[in-house]
Amino acid sequence: MSVKKKWRNMAAFRELSVEQRIKTLESEGALSGDCAQLLLEQLAQSGETNIPASVANSMIENQIGRFSLPVGVVRGLKVNGVTRDVLMATEEPSVIAAACNGAKIAAKSLENGVTAHSAHYVTRAQIVFEDADSSVAQKLDSIMRDESKRTAISEVARSAHPSIYQRGGGLERAQAAALTGFAKLTLDINTCDAMGANIANTIGEAVKTQLEGWVGRKALVAILANSSRVATVAEARIPVEALVPGEKDGAAGGAEGTRLARRIAALSSLAAVDAERAATHNKGILNGIVAAAAASGNDTRALQAAAHEWAAKSGRYMPLSTWTLQNNGQILYGRIEIPLQIGTVGGAIASLPMSKVALQLAKVNNANDFRNVLAAVGLVQNLAALCALAGPGIQAGHMRLQAANIAIASGARGDEIQKVAHALLNENSSDLNTSSARIILEDLRKRKNT
Ligand code: MEV
């Protein structure tokens, strides 16, 4: 299928009913019969969440209800040569639309999509002692020099969590360090395809007990570190004319694309010198990554904490992605580098039926593949935001999508929602608000009753 035809099909996907969208994904093989059935049942129950009441009650303490967000799909994101559909859970109206735009543009990159690579991730635990006189630091140092003690630490780790060793993971490295007033032992644990918070905490606490015996003092804390020494990198080299909406060809597309690309590169430079802008730049990246991580049942707070720590690792808060011009300004090169503390097994993933749908749609079978998809999501989400900022600004697109929310807030229900949203947008005012929406709704209902 030609790229142009595929794009037309993607636009058509938006026009389908929810049921038709689910059936389309099933007929394309993107969703298995089981997952399609799950979504159809959820649709039939209208308003019910997909977590059974008994599961919800067992997942958390003092459970009194279920919180639901809409999930939608970003179609056609090409990562490492595979076309993915990415499920996102979000309350922000423009996130999925923007990611679709970014994915469309990235599909025209020289590499035919985004290329991404993940390093070897470990989950880290730290055991920390108070150490005003540096005596513990010295003891930890000599423990780490003693081969029999290092072996003992490995054995403690193995017996604390044998199943992770059976899956090929386990403690890979233990390292002592002195901090001002503290001494710590850091454990790098290979948790395979699990995010590994519980595994790291279990091993960390077991090793802590062993260390306390050797050091002769109680540790202050043993806990995983939501921090990563490695990251995932995703890149795209985009011909500048691909940035122009509506695929203007030839010289016109080229000139406009060149102007947009230059402004996008300037926005990227701005984020590198202004932490205020870097925070918003990174928020745009996380819009997509967090929405996709949430839909897959991952811990989005762990992911964000590690991402922000990475952004500040030079001592100054920096953007997680950069955009620069190459080939005499003809290519816009985007690169994101972000640690992604996620898993494709474990945690809440098995309890949340929607996780299975998310991982299946993204065609991922291991954690690093999912990390590659998430980094690509961040890159294209960022690209879409920068294209809007460098071009017409974001409010035009945002308000078009926000109109439906304003209609709902004004009391519109069912088919009234789209009618009120359309009427609001036709008012041609930049100030869309619930008072105007209420007037439109009252008028609509009056006309219906006469
Ligand atoms: C809005 O949710 C995200 C943006 O503000 C990101 C950015 O400014 O780069 C559009």
Side-chain angles (χ1 to χ4, degrees), residues 333-411:
Y333 168 59
R335 182 179 190 278
I336 184 170
E337 191 180 293
I338 181 169
L340 290 161
Q341 282 212 318
I342 53 90
T344 49
V345 295
I349 291 170
S351 314
L352 298 171
M354 198 56 81
S355 304
K356 185 174 166 197
V357 176
L359 297 174
Q360 187 175 98
L361 282 172
K363 299 193 181 80
V364 293
N365 41 28
N366 61 52
N368 266 5
D369 193 21
F370 194 36
R371 289 186 177 106
N372 293 341
V373 172
L374 291 176
V377 164
L379 191 69
V380 302
Q381 193 82 51
N382 180 224
L383 174 63
L386 297 185
C387 280
L389 293 173
I394 59 153
Q395 271 319 74
H398 267 213
M399 291 321 286
R400 186 173 60 75
L401 293 157
Q402 186 58 11
N405 273 341
I406 295 171
I408 294 167
S410 76

Side-chain angles (χ1 to χ4, degrees), residues 92 94-95 277 280-281 283-284 287 382 385-386 389 394 398:
E92 189 170 331
S94 57
V95 166
R277 175 59 207 150
T280 319
H281 179 105
K283 189 272 184 185
N287 269 346
N382 180 224
L386 297 185
L389 293 173
I394 59 153
H398 267 213

Side-chain angles (χ1 to χ4, degrees), residues 2 22 103 115 125 175 217 221 266 286 307 312 336 356 380 395 400 416:
S2 76
I22 297 167
T115 54
Q175 221 183 2
R217 178 183 298 192
V221 70
L286 291 169
I336 184 170
K356 185 174 166 197
V380 302
Q395 271 319 74
R400 186 173 60 75
E416 292 171 346

